[in-house]
Amino acid sequence: MPRNRPAVPAGVLEEKSTLRIRRLADKSAGEGPPWPSAGVTVLEAPPAHEFDMRWCLDAEREGWLELTNKREVVVWAAPDGRPHPSPYVFVEADGIRIRAEEGEYVYRVLRQPGQHLEPIHDAERSGLEIEYRIDWFYLAELVRGPLPPISGAANGIFNISLGRFAYYATLPAAADALVVVILQTTGLQADATLRDHDDLAALLAATNDEPTNTGYVRKTVTAVTVTVDDTNERVDVDHADQTWTAVAAGTNWAKLLECYDDDTGAGTDANIRPLSFHDFSVTPDGSDITAVYDAAGIMRAS
């Protein structure tokens, strides 16, 4: 069934312009061209953009774009009841997430692809006409981006963990893990003071606080990669990106902490040793939040 073409907030259409990206090639495997895709970098992210549905589906298959809360809508007939020789298949979504090299861009979908009925003013007839149209695009507005990748180059190491980060990342105890903790903007201490804390209990007993947003939890990570690079005389530490789902508005985020918990079963915050701190400025708005770690990983020791 066709639907009335939904209105969009004032000003969005005026801000609509072209999304510009650069596709990246993975030249490390085999000989090319053509080379396989290595993702994208965004050159220009407009406040609003019409995303072609088929382009989004292709990008999703390549792995650098995600349509959130995706669902399929099949239409077999035109508004006048005449059947189509083959069905129209539309894919609706609530959001579009672009995972670029420099961070993640999040767009909120305001208008879906599909069959729409739209009132059109007809000056010659001095009245309104109803136009039937098919849209194959999402009209979406930018709500966040980019979040900078989490990198060992940002901020630094807690004093208690200097020279020990790589060791704790190997998870040497029987029931240990890395723990990702977020600190909110309000009450956050300066880096020079923050790095003096020896355990998470002491850090939170000061003016620093975790966010209170619905959807925020600490992340426990037990799959950590520690790579000894003899060629470049260094050690790299890395783990998977971390995502918080549908984080409600309320408390703004400021820092991401990598911590080591030596006893995930019976320990307390006093057992959790802070390892590193990273800028992570986010204003939650109900959408997902992903901490993307760059190619160098969490930390590089050399």
Side-chain angles (χ1 to χ4, degrees):
M1 290 291 291
R3 296 166 297 179
N4 288 332
R5 199 161 185 255
V8 297
V12 169
L13 293 178
E14 287 77 7
E15 295 179 331
K16 185 181 65 176
S17 57
T18 302
L19 172 76
R20 297 177 59 239
I21 66 169
R22 175 180 288 126
R23 300 173 69 89
L24 306 177
D26 178 7
K27 300 181 181 181
S28 63
E31 296 186 7
W35 290 286
S37 172
V40 300
T41 185
V42 175
L43 303 177
E44 182 178 348
H49 180 68
E50 290 181 351
F51 289 84
D52 181 87
M53 185 188 80
R54 299 177 184 88
W55 180 85
C56 288
L57 293 173
D58 288 341
E60 191 172 43
R61 282 188 286 270
E62 291 182 355
W64 53 267
L65 182 146
E66 177 190 357
L67 295 171
T68 58
N69 195 21
K70 185 171 61 175
R71 60 268 183 191
E72 196 172 271
V73 177
V74 180
V75 179
W76 286 90
D80 58 7
R82 289 179 297 173
H84 296 303
S86 60
Y88 288 133
V89 180
F90 303 102
V91 178
E92 296 185 349
D94 292 341
I96 299 170
R97 307 169 69 85
I98 299 173
R99 296 191 175 96
E101 288 297 296
E102 68 275 15
E104 184 177 76
Y105 298 77
V106 179
Y107 279 82
R108 178 187 295 115
V109 173
L110 303 176
R111 182 180 290 163
Q112 304 287 352
Q115 289 189 2
H116 296 289
L117 299 176
E118 183 175 20
I120 302 296
H121 182 72
D122 189 330
E124 293 183 0
R125 299 184 183 181
S126 300
L128 291 178
E129 293 289 324
I130 300 298
E131 180 186 68
Y132 161 61
R133 60 183 294 165
I134 294 177
D135 290 336
W136 291 101
F137 61 84
Y138 310 92
L139 176 61
E141 65 173 346
L142 181 67
V143 295
R144 186 174 67 246
L147 293 179
I150 301 300
S151 165
N155 298 132
I157 304 293
F158 284 86
N159 292 333
I160 191 68
S161 299
L162 288 170
R164 303 180 184 180
F165 192 107
Y167 168 72
Y168 288 119
T170 64
L171 305 183
D176 55 354
L178 293 191
V179 180
V180 178
V181 177
I182 301 297
L183 297 181
Q184 66 180 29
T185 303
T186 303
L188 182 66
Q189 293 177 312
D191 289 355
T193 303
L194 188 69
R195 69 186 306 156
D196 292 338
H197 296 294
D198 293 345
D199 60 68
L200 188 60
L203 185 149
L204 295 176
T207 58
N208 309 291
D209 288 302
E210 290 183 82
T212 57
N213 313 74
T214 300
Y216 167 73
V217 293
R218 295 180 185 178
K219 296 288 186 176
T220 300
V221 183
T222 55
V224 184
T225 302
V226 179
T227 303
V228 178
D229 186 343
D230 291 327
T231 301
N232 295 297
E233 318 293 353
R234 66 194 185 201
V235 177
D236 290 334
V237 177
D238 198 10
H239 63 62
D241 298 345
Q242 300 297 306
T243 297
W244 291 265
T245 303
V247 181
T251 304
N252 293 339
W253 298 8
K255 292 283 187 187
L256 181 147
L257 309 182
E258 295 283 342
C259 305
Y260 172 71
D261 185 352
D262 64 4
D263 188 352
T264 58
T268 66
D269 283 357
N271 294 88
I272 299 179
R273 176 190 297 266
L275 301 179
S276 63
F277 52 97
H278 310 263
D279 288 334
F280 195 59
S281 179
V282 184
T283 301
D285 60 7
S287 59
D288 296 353
I289 297 172
T290 300
V292 178
Y293 295 83
D294 72 7
I298 306 165
M299 190 52 56
R300 171 171 286 170
S302 59

